[in-house]
Amino acid sequence: MNYTKEIVDFNYSRNKLHLDIDLEARMFSEETNEFMTSLLEKDLVGMIDAYCDSVYVLSGSKFKILSRLFNDVHEMNAAYTYVRNATEMCHYMNSILVTDYNVKSGDLLVAFNYVVEANSHKEMEGTTGKIKKGSKWKDPKEKIAKLLMASSSK
């Protein structure tokens, strides 16, 4: 699967790669909160799902940032700060999953594929840019749980 194309296509169909750095930061923050909640609950599947969603959101943000020219230094600095902080958070999540929970990097890539596939079935709600889970959307957590079970039995 071409993750780059899938993520760009999703973001383009959603809002033509329009950059709203506050919205990007809120979406990333939501995924970070889901990761931390799952961490506190020792919910490994939830942690992996939130990590993959975080990488997905961050990737979309980067494409939006790269797709435009910055006319104002403040906007460029805000985008840079968001991407730097979000990237550091994704590295932190990855470190917890790989080091503390012994999740294989290859399994994270497979899980990311499940999240990308699920997100391709989300739909935009009206003109607000809000995304809802469409009728074809299936929660990737079941596939992630099966992946972890298969991986742990090896």
Side-chain angles (χ1 to χ4, degrees):
M1 174 178 261
N2 182 343
Y3 303 115
T4 302
K5 182 176 181 343
E6 291 286 329
I7 294 169
V8 170
D9 288 350
F10 175 80
N11 281 280
Y12 186 81
S13 68
R14 178 177 164 225
N15 60 10
K16 306 286 188 259
L17 296 177
H18 171 75
L19 177 65
D20 177 343
I21 204 64
D22 292 330
L23 176 61
E24 300 297 317
R26 283 193 310 271
M27 289 188 303
F28 188 83
S29 179
E30 180 181 323
E31 299 307 334
T32 301
N33 290 338
E34 286 181 20
F35 181 89
M36 299 309 281
T37 299
S38 295
L39 177 63
L40 291 171
E41 295 173 354
K42 298 189 184 318
D43 173 8
L44 184 57
V45 171
M47 290 167 59
I48 292 172
D49 180 61
Y51 166 73
C52 292
D53 280 335
S54 297
V55 171
Y56 190 92
V57 169
L58 177 58
S59 297
S61 299
K62 287 179 178 180
F63 294 125
K64 290 173 190 173
I65 290 166
L66 291 173
S67 74
R68 56 180 296 147
L69 297 174
F70 291 101
N71 296 321
D72 125 11
V73 173
H74 175 72
E75 183 180 33
M76 183 173 65
N77 286 337
Y80 171 77
T81 299
Y82 158 70
V83 168
R84 184 193 66 225
N85 292 341
T87 301
E88 288 175 6
M89 188 61 185
C90 283
H91 287 301
Y92 172 71
M93 290 181 211
N94 182 283
S95 174
I96 289 173
L97 291 167
V98 171
T99 305
D100 297 345
Y101 287 85
N102 300 313
V103 176
K104 298 176 183 100
S105 294
D107 288 346
L108 288 176
L109 288 174
V110 173
F112 185 70
N113 180 35
Y114 296 155
V115 169
V116 170
E117 180 184 352
N119 286 345
S120 72
H121 296 291
K122 288 184 176 179
E123 301 168 349
M124 188 165 55
E125 196 173 88
T127 59
T128 64
K130 175 75 175 146
I131 300 299
K132 66 178 184 172
K133 295 168 179 148
S135 59
K136 295 180 183 178
W137 184 85
K138 290 189 175 62
D139 192 332
K141 289 181 182 178
E142 185 177 324
K143 287 183 175 181
I144 294 170
K146 288 179 182 176
L147 171 70
L148 292 175
M149 287 177 55
S151 185
S152 68
S153 66
K154 291 181 183 178

